[in-house]
Amino acid sequence: AQNQSKGGNAAPKKTPKVAFICKDLSQQWFIGTSNAMKKAVEARGGKFFALDCAMSPDKYMTNLDNVISQKVDVLIVCPPDQKLSQATVQRCQAAGIKVMADDDGLIDANGHHIAPALELDAYKVGQSQGDWLGNYVIAHKSDAEPASTALLVLTVPTVSSIVPRSQGAIDEFKKKVPDFPASKIIQSPYDGTSDKAFNVAAATITAHPEIKTWLVVAPNDEGAQGATRALEQAGKDKQATVVGLGAYLAKDEFKKPYSAFKAAAYLNESEDGTIAGNAAMDWIQKGLVPYAKYKKPGSKFGVYPFGAEMVDRSNYKQIMGADAN
Amino acid sequence: MTLNSSVEFKGITKTFPGVKALDGVSFLARGGEVLALVGENGAGKSTLLKVLNGDYQQDSGLYLIDGAERHFKTPQEAIAAGVSVIYQERQVVPYLNVAENIFMEEIPVMRSGLIDVKQLNARAQKVIDEFKLPIRPTTKVKDLSVAYQQMVEIMKAYRRSPKIIAFDEPTASLSESEISTLFEVIERLKASGIIILYVSHRMKEIFQISDQVVILKDGKYVTQLPTRSITEQEIVKLMVGRELGDIFNGLSRNEEIGEVVLRVSGLTNDYIHDIGFELKAGEILGFAGLVGAGRTETMRAIFGADRVNSGQIFFGGKQKRVEAPEDAIACGLALCPEDRKDQGIVGGRSIADNISLAILKKLSKMGFLDKPKERSLAEDAVRELRIRTPSVDKKVGELSGGNQQKVILARWLAANPKVLLLDEPTKGIDVGSKSEIYQLICDLAKRGIGIILVSSELVEVLGLCDRIIVMSQGRITGELKRKEANEEKVLELAMAGM
Amino acid sequence: MGSHDEITSDKQVLGLVGRAFKAEKVGLLIALLVMIIVFSVLTQNKFLSASNIIDIFIASSMVGLVTIGETYLLIALQVDLSAGSVAGFSGVLVTLLLSWGLSMWVSIPVVIVVGGIIGFLNSLMVNKLKLEPFIATLASMSVFRGLAYIICGGKSVFVMNNTFLTMGVGRIFGIPIPVIIFLVMFLIFGIVLARTRFGRSVYMIGGNATAARLAGINAQTVKAKLYIMTAAFAALGGIILAARMSSGQPDASVGLEFDAVTAAVLGGVAFSGGIGTLGGALIGLIIMQGFNNGLMILNVQSFWQTVAKGLLLVAALSFDYVRNLKRKAKT
Amino acid sequence: MGSHDEITSDKQVLGLVGRAFKAEKVGLLIALLVMIIVFSVLTQNKFLSASNIIDIFIASSMVGLVTIGETYLLIALQVDLSAGSVAGFSGVLVTLLLSWGLSMWVSIPVVIVVGGIIGFLNSLMVNKLKLEPFIATLASMSVFRGLAYIICGGKSVFVMNNTFLTMGVGRIFGIPIPVIIFLVMFLIFGIVLARTRFGRSVYMIGGNATAARLAGINAQTVKAKLYIMTAAFAALGGIILAARMSSGQPDASVGLEFDAVTAAVLGGVAFSGGIGTLGGALIGLIIMQGFNNGLMILNVQSFWQTVAKGLLLVAALSFDYVRNLKRKAKT
Ligand SMILES: Nc1ncnc2c1ncn2[C@@H]1O[C@H](COP(=O)(O)OP(=O)(O)OP(=O)(O)O)[C@@H](O)[C@H]1O
Ligand SMILES: Nc1ncnc2c1ncn2[C@@H]1O[C@H](COP(=O)(O)OP(=O)(O)OP(=O)(O)O)[C@@H](O)[C@H]1O
Ligand SMILES: [Mg+2]
Ligand SMILES: [Mg+2]
């Protein structure tokens, strides 16, 4: 492996080690990002391994202990909760390990970034859902009968990174369709699975028999799919519009002749992983602090704004490429 | 010495759903005397002791100890007041050792709060020595035979130095030697002025140990008499309400012994060695021996309930592999187990369910149970064996000990096998019912069923069996024909090699 | 004697309304009634609308299948914690098979058989390795959840096969097919449990395994059947869920077994074995799912839903408190 | 009798090596050893490095505290499924109290007392409402997880208090404080279980409840103590975790109770009550956490880790297979 460290220290170094502590490696998104990271790191002669927290803060701490013992060069983290940021940075500093964040930034009590981050801004992703839905409503005049139209926002209140997605969707939608009555925006909790989303959506439909046109935003594709099936079951899918997030289930819904599941925020997992993996290797091999060019005045670290792209029936193939199959 | 101590029951009444277990029972027991409490199965003996122990609360009536009215709300209060009751059902903690069981609520501790193991074991050893038993304080109770587990219970009650001690059928699983040790202890307790209540169905013991007899019938007090002033026949008549002749002479026996139905040879496992014998159709074969002789283990080995290291089993001349009870049952074998509580009853289920357990196949068509038939079968059994219960729907766990035993027996009598192994079948059954059960056994023999009767009650083996095999220390030490057998000969063989 | 006869005939009168309405279940029925009344009032009768009742039954259908298995198991003093994982695994497997082009008439039976094999493995651990059911099935819970992810690489699998989807969303006389499947299974297995030799042996094994064994009941065979049955039901449930959602998801049905066990226990099945009926379990299931549904209609905040569910459990079971008081007085 | 004496003295010889090394635990020790050897080889000795051993113990510390409680409970034929929720709730509560400006010397005791009260509530359900422990604590699992979210509005709470954080990350003679706390607790409660009257009464209740009752042992009091103890340990664990994470998180420690029960059972504690020691549970715990750690070092893919964990459970418990074979013969 070639070493191009700037200090002119030409002594051969051992293989660089990059670790990724991920909040949930059972999610398709993270599997994709971690695979892309691995590819990027290994392509440049590094060694990469990923550790799963299964959404548990305890496992995160155990994993952290573990990578510190293993003396990795760069640690990429996506913590199950951002309140773990300071513990992470302190521990890594003490151990002399470079740490950077992926998807969720590492922030202090005031919300300032305390490590470089590629941030999947959950709020922004939500906004793009809200934006799409707002445009759709305007274009199709879906809100012509306000008394019988409602927006169902499925959300998972127990997962801190999901809450802002829903909020972003609501805020942006309100901005686009300012006349939409606030009383017709219904937030309902589910647990992230299709099954529960189905039950919640079905109960909400029952609770509001007067609603004929349902607009639904879900923070993942499972939720959107469950809601779609519930709408079909209640016979209300033809007038409904469901927006998901991830597009991994949406792409197949698009292949059907009709589905109320009409759009999703697509996140490019391999792009995310590739950027992060390369940034980590640059840090080790070139001493370049990641994402420095995104540094805003006054802040210590740069944050790469990783955004989502909305896909629907018309454009998913070109935007998603191989992911569309 | 408190020779004037006493316990007096006045009008004790206790009802369970559908049964009046005790109905105005009054009597008095004095210190320095053994009072035997007798009555048929379900007469209310155990219930009375549980009331005294604070385990059950009577509906009405009261009891006085040393003239003062007492009312124990928990067994704990009873223990504190010097009452110690040994229940009919063994109550040991299997994974604790002997010493810990004996001293359960009074384990000695050091000043640090830690258990004083040395003292605990020393004190336990002392009690064990008083009972002259060859067991160690540190042995886990689960590793003891049933008899020694029973002795552990007796020692537990004894070492509390109680004022009143009550034994509920303590000898049901003991052999002669333990019984005589127990009786020595009881004599000593008696001499020190303790009040002793003694429940048993064994008339011999009652005359041997008791001073007073109280008879209960259907939950009611019948009479109290000095033991000296009454005969066995009189007691039985008062208990049962009719005369019983000599049980064994009155039996109508099977005279036609048929072909060999079961042959065992060289049967060996961890507990038994080289067991071999033959059983013929219509024959009643007794197995005698002291506790721990290996009779139970022999039956279990034949039945496939225990592993066998070597040996062969032949049914009707054909060698069969018996690896599990199903195999044995398929060959026409049935085993009525010795341990009622752990291996016999399904306490949470009804009498009918329990009686039909071994014949579910016969009772069903295409997998569906014929419930009316099951019920009538159970009702017949209840009548025939005089099981005291309001209905066949009652949970077996709520029956008296003797009645539970009758249910188990009814299960196996209904099974109608070719070979029936009965291990202590009359344990805890009252004298009145015994004669009926003996006749039932004889009737089965007449139908050509080969029967093995394992019993620690020698009179039973001698009176009922055509032939007696005696075991000692896991081996067969001899075989006696009915005509030549007597108590001395059996005992001699039972002690052989010890 | 007299008084008891009266009791019996009382019971027989009640018995006319069916086994599920036995005196012992009065507490349960009161709980069900109270729930229905409270939610009907709170939701202005939406709770009792036909479409909502169907929703409750749809939500019950999958848990319901597993509840049958868990009820049998609990009565026999066993438990299967792997049901949720098996359901998840089966949902992924069936959609994978379909996506490889296999016909659903092959895929479904294959997956149910695979479920049965998993159940058989569970029973081997219990019967042969003598592991505690709780631990043995906790192990397979872990194994099959892992395999669910592995076989699909962590990605949900989409199904397009319309005949297959009908199984999840089709209706017959207005009743969704999953509901029909689950109710028919309840009926069949309720009768099997209450009326057949096999059902009886389940009770007897739970009541005293040693006694049952000595009476010639092969407890190991019975247990094997129960584990196979439960896992097959879980597989069927997973298949139906996949058909309902038109995708197989590796993270589906986590905790399904706990819901099923909770439903059974709410319905009077005891952990101590030997007690309970499938009719009771059905009521328990409806109480549980009805309650969840009611909270959802009311759109109660999710955290409070969690709290309320815990309280429901305690409250519903405390309806039996009076009975317990009596029992306590006796012991 | 002769043969029996021999067996006992055999045991005594083994007993010299200490209680934890009793014949019954040989299987367990072999499992531990096999695991250590295999991982040492596979990880080129990284597994046995001092820092990794400390990692294993840190990872064990929180589960360990709850394992103490669950071991006691299982021996007494009880179980507490709410431990993880109580830990999560306590972690949030303590950080909230700290964030309101309370001193840690007030906050910590308060939270442990609150934990104890939760335990007491659990015991009330079991003792007074006569609910099955599994169900009673499943209910409080739900309730207190909900409350954990409610008290913090679903958002984790940050802590700055450095003295408090020391409790989670500080070291004494190079050993992390959580590890010290957990080992000291194991020692103390190990002695209490093995050598005190209270400990014996736990075995008695689990071994034969009727016998215990007749001997005047107040099972309800003992159970109440056990539930209080377990919940207090869970609270302590939650506090320590919060200190390690410098934040209280409402979703922390989900499933903690299952890990604790698994550790105990791996260590020879039986679900049937009356059997097991804390020494065994400690070995079980180390096997479990060591295994997790080894898989992590080897960077086994997470799905395969899930599978492997299930297989470990089966494999480790099957080391007792031979012993079980004997037992089987005697049913
Ligand atoms: N817990 C209970 N629930 C219901 N009925 C009971 C209970 N305990 C005892 N009984 C009933 O009370 C009656 C008296 O029983 P008890 O055990 O006192 O008889 P016993 O004289 O000891 O008989 P045995 O000689 O068979 O031991 C029986 O009919 C029995 O069924
Ligand atoms: N569960 C057990 N654990 C250890 N040893 C046992 C066990 N059961 C029986 N034994 C031993 O096996 C031997 C034979 O016991 P067994 O019960 O067969 O005798 P038995 O002749 O039937 O006497 P009993 O009159 O008690 O039925 C005894 O030495 C006994 O201690
Ligand atoms: Mg009795
Ligand atoms: Mg015997």
Side-chain angles (χ1 to χ4, degrees):
Chain A
Q2 77 270 40
N3 280 301
Q4 303 180 334
S5 75
K6 280 194 175 166
N9 185 354
K13 271 173 82 179
K14 59 181 174 54
T15 324
K17 267 200 270 186
V18 177
F20 176 40
I21 302 184
C22 179
K23 64 176 165 195
D24 190 358
L25 274 181
S26 66
Q27 285 181 30
Q28 204 168 316
W29 163 258
F30 289 114
I31 297 167
T33 33
S34 81
N35 285 341
M37 275 181 208
K38 188 177 165 80
K39 234 188 198 162
V41 170
E42 285 175 354
R44 294 175 56 175
K47 207 179 151 214
F48 176 86
F49 60 97
L51 298 164
D52 182 24
C53 307
M55 287 314 291
S56 148
D58 341 3
K59 290 216 179 75
Y60 178 81
M61 295 309 291
T62 304
N63 286 334
L64 195 58
D65 290 333
N66 202 266
V67 291
I68 289 171
S69 297
Q70 293 200 49
K71 302 207 170 54
V72 297
D73 297 288
V74 169
L75 172 62
I76 307 173
V77 294
C78 175
D81 190 295
Q82 289 184 308
K83 293 278 162 37
L84 293 163
S85 303
Q86 282 192 323
T88 309
V89 172
Q90 278 165 10
R91 304 286 292 283
C92 288
Q93 267 169 2
I97 290 172
K98 301 181 174 76
V99 62
M100 58 191 270
D102 199 52
D103 292 354
D104 295 333
L106 293 167
I107 50 176
D108 66 11
N110 305 316
H112 297 311
H113 283 267
I114 53 177
L118 177 154
E119 204 165 56
L120 182 78
D121 191 326
Y123 186 81
K124 268 197 194 134
V125 173
Q127 278 180 318
S128 52
Q129 287 179 296
D131 177 65
W132 187 94
L133 191 61
N135 288 335
Y136 184 89
V137 165
I138 293 164
H140 294 79
K141 301 208 167 43
S142 307
D143 60 340
E145 289 173 53
S148 64
T149 307
L151 170 63
L152 168 61
V153 181
L154 288 173
T155 184
V156 188
T158 52
V159 179
S160 58
S161 62
I162 282 186
V163 178
R165 291 185 202 169
S166 307
Q167 199 53 51
I170 294 174
D171 292 350
E172 192 64 21
F173 181 77
K174 275 189 191 161
K175 222 185 271 169
K176 278 266 140 119
V177 195
D179 296 339
F180 203 87
S183 65
K184 288 284 192 283
I185 299 179
I186 303 156
Q187 283 201 60
S188 293
Y190 77 119
D191 65 359
T193 66
S194 307
D195 191 19
K196 193 67 193 290
F198 178 96
N199 292 341
V200 171
T204 311
I205 294 167
T206 300
H208 300 276
E210 75 283 1
I211 304 298
K212 297 205 186 75
T213 307
W214 280 101
L215 309 170
V216 183
V217 180
N220 65 8
D221 264 18
E222 283 85 352
Q225 191 186 44
T228 306
R229 296 291 96 83
L231 286 161
E232 287 165 359
Q233 197 262 153
K236 295 194 168 173
D237 59 313
K238 294 292 186 240
Q239 286 199 59
T241 305
V242 181
V243 181
L245 195 158
Y248 42 89
L249 293 173
K251 67 178 199 312
D252 291 305
E253 296 278 347
F254 299 156
K255 287 170 193 154
K256 291 185 179 177
Y258 177 81
S259 169
F261 193 165
K262 288 175 185 149
Y266 168 64
L267 298 161
N268 192 334
E269 53 198 36
S270 38
E271 190 184 330
D272 176 308
T274 310
I275 294 170
N278 280 320
M281 289 309 287
D282 282 344
W283 204 356
I284 300 170
Q285 295 176 334
K286 302 182 186 158
L288 297 173
V289 177
Y291 317 130
K293 65 176 169 183
Y294 299 99
K295 199 152 76 177
K296 289 199 188 107
S299 55
K300 275 170 81 183
F301 297 98
V303 178
Y304 183 107
F306 195 83
E309 258 180 289
M310 292 305 296
V311 294
D312 59 24
R313 201 173 277 275
S314 65
N315 64 5
Y316 77 101
K317 277 194 182 139
Q318 74 210 53
I319 294 178
M320 292 175 74
D323 283 356
N325 304 319
Chain B
M1 272 210 219
T2 47
L3 274 175
N4 51 0
S5 65
S6 68
V7 57
E8 184 176 11
F9 297 94
K10 280 191 176 168
I12 302 273
T13 300
K14 173 80 191 169
T15 344
F16 293 108
V19 201
K20 209 160 202 182
L22 293 171
D23 187 1
V25 172
S26 309
F27 66 89
L28 181 131
R30 284 181 204 292
E33 283 182 351
V34 175
L35 183 140
L37 201 51
V38 301
E40 284 180 292
N41 294 131
K45 306 176 294 290
S46 300
T47 305
L48 186 70
L49 298 187
K50 286 179 185 172
V51 167
L52 175 64
N53 198 31
D55 200 358
Y56 287 168
Q57 308 301 314
Q58 69 271 29
D59 303 334
S60 63
L62 49 94
Y63 46 91
L64 305 99
I65 294 176
D66 297 346
E69 187 185 339
R70 303 302 299 262
H71 189 141
F72 306 129
K73 282 186 220 68
T74 60
Q76 196 172 9
E77 291 177 21
I79 293 172
V83 176
S84 224
V85 181
I86 297 149
Y87 279 24
Q88 191 170 0
E89 303 298 344
R90 254 173 302 122
Q91 295 297 352
V92 290
V93 185
Y95 282 89
L96 292 187
N97 67 29
V98 170
E100 288 164 335
N101 266 280
I102 296 179
F103 284 91
M104 239 169 125
E105 78 281 0
E106 248 182 50
I107 294 178
V109 288
M110 299 180 291
R111 214 177 295 150
S112 58
L114 298 186
I115 293 173
D116 190 341
V117 180
K118 257 194 205 139
Q119 205 198 342
L120 171 66
N121 289 340
R123 280 167 65 181
Q125 188 63 56
K126 228 175 95 194
V127 182
I128 294 168
D129 289 343
E130 277 188 67
F131 281 79
K132 303 192 191 100
L133 297 176
I135 56 179
R136 294 162 147 265
T138 50
T139 305
K140 290 222 171 106
V141 165
K142 73 173 170 70
D143 295 327
L144 294 178
S145 68
V146 177
Y148 286 140
Q149 293 187 4
Q150 177 69 17
M151 291 308 282
V152 167
E153 285 244 76
I154 293 171
M155 289 189 281
K156 176 166 73 184
Y158 165 81
R159 71 94 191 127
R160 287 174 181 153
S161 343
K163 275 201 296 207
I164 304 171
I165 186 163
F167 299 91
D168 198 348
E169 296 188 42
T171 55
S173 49
L174 301 188
S175 70
E176 303 293 333
S177 79
E178 280 94 18
I179 292 174
S180 63
T181 322
L182 175 64
F183 283 5
E184 281 169 33
V185 172
I186 291 180
E187 289 294 346
R188 248 188 295 139
L189 292 171
K190 187 166 122 177
S192 65
I194 287 171
I195 306 165
I196 296 156
L197 302 177
Y198 189 91
V199 176
S200 179
H201 290 296
R202 299 189 178 175
M203 288 300 147
K204 197 177 121 202
E205 289 172 8
I206 288 165
F207 283 91
Q208 201 179 336
I209 197 79
S210 77
D211 304 289
Q212 295 276 323
V213 179
V214 163
I215 296 163
L216 296 182
K217 183 165 172 53
D218 295 338
K220 295 195 186 71
Y221 167 82
V222 177
T223 186
Q224 176 170 17
L225 292 164
T227 315
R228 274 175 284 104
S229 69
I230 191 170
T231 65
E232 195 175 319
Q233 279 73 28
E234 285 168 315
I235 293 183
V236 171
K237 191 179 170 207
L238 285 168
M239 264 172 63
V240 184
R242 65 194 153 94
E243 297 267 4
L244 286 183
D246 182 327
I247 299 181
F248 296 105
N249 280 337
L251 290 175
S252 123
R253 293 168 180 283
N254 174 39
E255 306 297 344
E256 291 168 49
I257 308 274
E259 296 287 294
V260 172
V261 284
L262 169 70
R263 188 160 74 82
V264 171
S265 83
L267 209 60
T268 300
N269 69 14
D270 294 354
Y271 306 108
I272 53 174
H273 308 282
D274 195 23
I275 301 294
F277 66 88
E278 283 181 350
L279 173 71
K280 300 197 176 78
E283 185 183 30
I284 303 177
L285 173 61
F287 264 73
L290 303 181
V291 164
R295 297 162 298 167
T296 295
E297 307 296 329
T298 302
M299 298 308 130
R300 288 177 57 85
I302 295 170
F303 195 61
D306 281 348
R307 197 172 37 175
V308 173
N309 297 341
S310 61
Q312 290 105 40
I313 300 170
F314 301 85
F315 287 100
K318 277 193 217 89
Q319 187 176 348
K320 291 280 163 84
R321 282 171 68 90
V322 179
E323 273 161 3
E326 303 93 83
D327 303 339
I329 289 168
C331 298
L333 205 66
L335 167 69
C336 175
E338 161 187 50
D339 191 333
R340 167 170 77 220
K341 190 172 152 200
D342 292 341
Q343 304 176 353
I345 65 164
V346 185
R349 304 296 302 182
S350 71
I351 294 177
D353 288 4
N354 268 275
I355 291 179
S356 65
L357 182 57
I359 52 165
L360 289 177
K361 212 175 259 174
K362 268 184 249 167
L363 276 176
S364 51
K365 253 195 220 116
M366 323 216 338
F368 283 84
L369 282 173
D370 183 346
K371 289 201 176 178
K373 194 165 158 199
E374 176 182 39
R375 206 181 162 80
S376 71
L377 192 106
E379 276 162 356
D380 290 348
V382 163
R383 216 171 309 118
E384 216 169 331
L385 294 179
R386 300 201 297 145
I387 297 172
R388 192 184 136 106
T389 174
S391 94
V392 293
D393 297 323
K394 191 165 170 114
K395 284 184 187 161
V396 169
E398 291 171 356
L399 294 180
S400 80
N403 284 310
Q404 292 180 357
Q405 185 66 28
K406 289 181 188 174
V407 169
I408 302 311
L409 203 53
R411 176 192 298 164
W412 295 109
L413 297 181
N416 199 14
K418 289 201 198 78
V419 176
L420 180 57
L421 314 177
L422 299 169
D423 195 352
E424 309 280 2
T426 60
K427 195 157 106 180
I429 286 180
D430 67 51
V431 268
S433 305
K434 267 187 191 168
S435 62
E436 278 136 44
I437 288 166
Y438 294 151
Q439 187 55 57
L440 275 169
I441 292 174
C442 289
D443 292 347
L444 290 177
K446 275 188 196 159
R447 298 218 305 259
I449 295 171
I451 295 167
I452 296 183
L453 176 69
V454 176
S455 175
S456 297
E457 276 192 81
L458 257 183
V459 272
E460 194 168 283
V461 181
L462 291 169
L464 207 58
C465 300
D466 302 307
R467 198 153 52 94
I468 298 168
I469 287 176
V470 188
M471 287 185 68
S472 173
Q473 298 193 325
R475 291 172 199 279
I476 291 178
T477 48
E479 188 181 315
L480 300 163
K481 289 264 155 48
R482 174 181 174 73
K483 306 245 163 49
E484 64 191 31
N486 61 35
E487 228 168 282
E488 288 73 39
K489 280 188 186 162
V490 172
L491 276 177
E492 193 182 308
L493 288 170
M495 308 280 274
M498 295 187 89
Chain C
M1 291 277 152
S3 79
H4 190 83
D5 283 354
E6 273 159 44
I7 294 168
T8 313
S9 70
D10 260 10
K11 267 192 194 158
Q12 279 171 340
V13 172
L14 284 165
L16 289 176
V17 202
R19 251 198 167 246
F21 290 72
K22 261 170 56 174
E24 291 175 7
K25 283 194 201 104
V26 168
L28 201 58
L29 283 174
I30 295 176
L32 179 63
L33 222 69
V34 168
M35 184 197 71
I36 292 178
I37 293 171
V38 169
F39 278 125
S40 298
V41 172
L42 290 179
T43 63
Q44 292 137 356
N45 272 328
K46 281 173 207 153
F47 187 72
L48 271 187
S49 68
S51 72
N52 195 55
I53 291 176
I54 287 188
D55 281 353
I56 294 177
F57 275 87
I58 294 181
S60 305
S61 60
M62 187 175 176
V63 192
L65 290 174
V66 177
T67 301
I68 299 175
E70 298 289 358
T71 300
Y72 270 78
L73 284 170
L74 286 175
I75 292 174
L77 215 51
Q78 309 288 311
V79 72
D80 182 354
L81 299 186
S82 71
S85 293
V86 174
F89 175 77
S90 305
V92 174
L93 186 60
V94 78
T95 46
L96 269 183
L97 294 182
L98 290 169
S99 76
W100 294 341
L102 265 78
S103 133
M104 69 175 271
W105 309 112
V106 177
S107 309
I108 294 179
V110 164
V111 174
I112 291 177
V113 168
V114 170
I117 293 172
I118 296 174
F120 182 64
L121 291 178
N122 282 337
S123 75
L124 283 186
M125 289 192 283
V126 171
N127 282 334
K128 302 303 173 191
L129 295 180
K130 306 281 165 197
L131 302 187
E132 313 253 13
F134 188 97
I135 286 295
T137 59
L138 196 68
S140 47
M141 175 201 229
S142 192
V143 170
F144 289 98
R145 182 63 66 187
L147 288 178
Y149 282 107
I150 289 166
I151 56 171
C152 65
K155 291 188 182 144
S156 329
V157 186
F158 207 84
V159 216
M160 295 284 205
N161 186 325
N162 274 323
T163 347
F164 178 72
L165 298 185
T166 307
M167 203 180 143
V169 297
R171 296 194 175 208
I172 297 177
F173 301 122
I175 302 169
I177 294 177
V179 175
I180 294 177
I181 295 180
F182 129 73
L183 287 179
V184 167
M185 289 297 171
F186 246 96
L187 191 68
I188 295 175
F189 281 83
I191 293 173
V192 168
L193 185 60
R195 304 252 134 192
T196 67
R197 176 154 67 97
F198 178 71
R200 176 64 63 77
S201 59
V202 173
Y203 282 104
M204 296 315 255
I205 288 172
N208 184 343
T210 313
R213 184 170 104 95
L214 290 179
I217 291 173
N218 191 329
Q220 297 204 350
T221 313
V222 174
K223 283 189 220 163
K225 285 181 189 165
L226 299 186
Y227 282 104
I228 291 173
M229 184 180 120
T230 307
F233 272 133
L236 179 60
I239 293 170
I240 292 176
L241 183 68
R244 276 178 57 208
M245 296 301 149
S246 51
S247 65
Q249 302 176 3
D251 55 353
S253 308
V254 172
L256 178 66
E257 53 283 339
F258 289 103
D259 286 345
V261 167
T262 304
V265 173
L266 266 179
V269 180
F271 267 85
S272 40
I275 307 174
T277 64
L278 214 48
L282 181 59
I283 302 181
L285 177 65
I286 299 301
I287 292 181
M288 189 178 82
Q289 296 293 4
F291 190 76
N292 288 347
N293 171 281
L295 293 181
M296 281 183 222
I297 295 186
L298 293 174
N299 200 11
V300 172
Q301 202 210 332
S302 82
F303 310 147
W304 283 110
Q305 285 196 24
T306 317
V307 173
K309 272 172 216 166
L311 296 179
L312 159 82
L313 252 185
V314 178
L317 290 171
S318 301
F319 270 97
D320 288 349
Y321 184 49
V322 182
R323 190 156 55 96
N324 280 323
L325 272 185
K326 268 198 215 157
R327 207 190 294 153
K328 194 172 98 191
K330 259 198 264 163
T331 1
Chain D
M1 283 302 128
S3 79
H4 190 83
D5 282 355
E6 273 161 41
I7 293 168
T8 314
S9 71
D10 260 11
K11 271 193 190 159
Q12 279 171 343
V13 172
L14 284 164
L16 289 176
V17 202
R19 250 195 170 254
F21 290 73
K22 265 169 55 173
E24 292 176 5
K25 286 198 198 97
V26 167
L28 201 58
L29 284 173
I30 294 174
L32 180 64
L33 220 72
V34 169
M35 183 195 73
I36 292 177
I37 294 171
V38 169
F39 278 126
S40 299
V41 171
L42 290 179
T43 64
Q44 292 137 357
N45 271 330
K46 275 180 219 153
F47 187 72
L48 271 187
S49 69
S51 72
N52 194 54
I53 291 175
I54 286 186
D55 282 353
I56 294 177
F57 274 88
I58 294 181
S60 305
S61 59
M62 187 172 175
V63 192
L65 290 174
V66 177
T67 301
I68 299 175
E70 298 289 358
T71 301
Y72 271 77
L73 283 170
L74 287 175
I75 292 174
L77 214 50
Q78 308 289 309
V79 73
D80 182 354
L81 299 186
S82 71
S85 292
V86 174
F89 175 77
S90 305
V92 174
L93 186 61
V94 76
T95 47
L96 268 184
L97 293 181
L98 290 169
S99 76
W100 296 341
L102 265 78
S103 133
M104 70 176 272
W105 308 114
V106 177
S107 310
I108 294 179
V110 164
V111 173
I112 291 177
V113 168
V114 170
I117 293 172
I118 297 174
F120 182 65
L121 290 178
N122 283 336
S123 75
L124 282 186
M125 288 192 283
V126 171
N127 283 333
K128 302 303 173 190
L129 294 181
K130 308 275 168 201
L131 302 187
E132 314 254 12
F134 188 96
I135 285 297
T137 59
L138 197 66
S140 47
M141 174 201 230
S142 191
V143 170
F144 289 99
R145 182 61 67 187
L147 288 178
Y149 282 108
I150 288 167
I151 56 171
C152 66
K155 289 184 188 128
S156 35
V157 186
F158 209 78
V159 220
M160 296 286 211
N161 186 324
N162 272 324
T163 347
F164 178 72
L165 298 185
T166 307
M167 206 179 141
V169 296
R171 296 195 175 209
I172 298 178
F173 302 121
I175 300 170
I177 294 178
V179 175
I180 294 178
I181 296 179
F182 131 73
L183 287 178
V184 168
M185 290 295 171
F186 245 96
L187 191 67
I188 295 175
F189 282 83
I191 292 173
V192 168
L193 184 60
R195 303 293 310 268
T196 68
R197 259 193 212 175
F198 177 71
R200 292 292 97 175
S201 64
V202 174
Y203 284 98
M204 285 171 198
I205 291 172
N208 184 341
T210 316
R213 181 168 58 82
L214 294 179
I217 288 164
N218 190 331
Q220 298 206 348
T221 314
V222 175
K223 283 187 216 163
K225 286 182 189 164
L226 299 186
Y227 282 104
I228 291 173
M229 184 181 121
T230 307
F233 272 133
L236 179 60
I239 294 170
I240 293 175
L241 183 66
R244 275 177 62 205
M245 301 189 299
S246 49
S247 62
Q249 310 208 354
D251 55 352
S253 308
V254 173
L256 179 66
E257 55 280 340
F258 290 103
D259 286 346
V261 167
T262 305
V265 173
L266 267 179
V269 180
F271 268 86
S272 43
I275 312 173
T277 65
L278 214 49
L282 182 60
I283 303 181
L285 178 66
I286 300 300
I287 292 181
M288 189 177 83
Q289 297 292 5
F291 190 76
N292 289 347
N293 172 285
L295 293 181
M296 247 188 273
I297 298 185
L298 292 175
N299 193 21
V300 173
Q301 200 209 337
S302 82
F303 306 148
W304 282 110
Q305 286 196 23
T306 317
V307 174
K309 273 173 215 170
L311 296 179
L312 157 83
L313 250 184
V314 179
L317 289 171
S318 302
F319 271 96
D320 288 348
Y321 185 48
V322 181
R323 187 157 55 98
N324 281 323
L325 270 186
K326 266 198 213 159
R327 208 191 293 155
K328 185 173 104 190
K330 266 209 237 151
T331 345

